Each structure stands twice: as C-alpha cells, then as structure tokens.
Amino acid sequence: ADAATWYADTDTDTYGNAAVTQRACTQPSGYVNRAGDCNDAANAVNPGATEVRDGIDNNCANGIDEASASNA
C-alpha cells in the first residue's frame, strides 16, 4: 500500500528513466528514487550535469548547448 515508485538507472548516475519504473516498498537493485535522466546510457548526461557546448543536452534541460553552456 505504501510502495514507492523507483526509476531504472542503468548508467548509475543516480537519475532514473521515467519510462522504466517499478513500485516497491524497498529499493530494487538498479533503481533510484528520482527520475529525470534524458539519456540513461550515459552517466555524464543527467539533470545535475553542467551544460557544455558539445552538441549534447548534458543537463537534460532547455535543449542542446543552451545559451548558458560553457565551452567544452
């Protein structure tokens, strides 16, 4: 009844894939408690990453190489 939603984290960056979930009372192996990862195959790409000008949406927000991006 009090099961939480857990998100698959295949790249181990502590951000999970919102499209791949499990409901469980305890944390399943390979799952985390926060979603938001826009590329779960690259651990350097996640909402906590710094956006750099490299043709990748490093921080999963506002698109690729937004104006605030630093040089790679």
Side-chain angles (χ1 to χ4, degrees), residues 2 4-5 8 10 12 15 26-28 33 36 38-40 44 50-51 54-57 63 66 68 71:
D2 291 335
T5 299
T10 58
T12 66
Y15 292 89
T26 58
Q27 183 175 4
N33 64 350
C38 59
N39 183 346
D40 204 32
T50 299
E51 185 68 29
D54 60 358
I56 299 170
D57 185 9
E66 60 255 25
S68 64
N71 290 323

Side-chain angles (χ1 to χ4, degrees), residues 24-68:
C25 292
T26 58
Q27 183 175 4
S29 178
Y31 285 74
V32 293
N33 64 350
R34 62 180 167 182
D37 202 334
C38 59
N39 183 346
D40 204 32
N43 69 353
V45 176
N46 62 66
T50 299
E51 185 68 29
V52 294
R53 294 184 203 290
D54 60 358
I56 299 170
D57 185 9
N58 308 94
N59 64 358
C60 300
N62 302 319
I64 296 170
D65 299 341
E66 60 255 25
S68 64

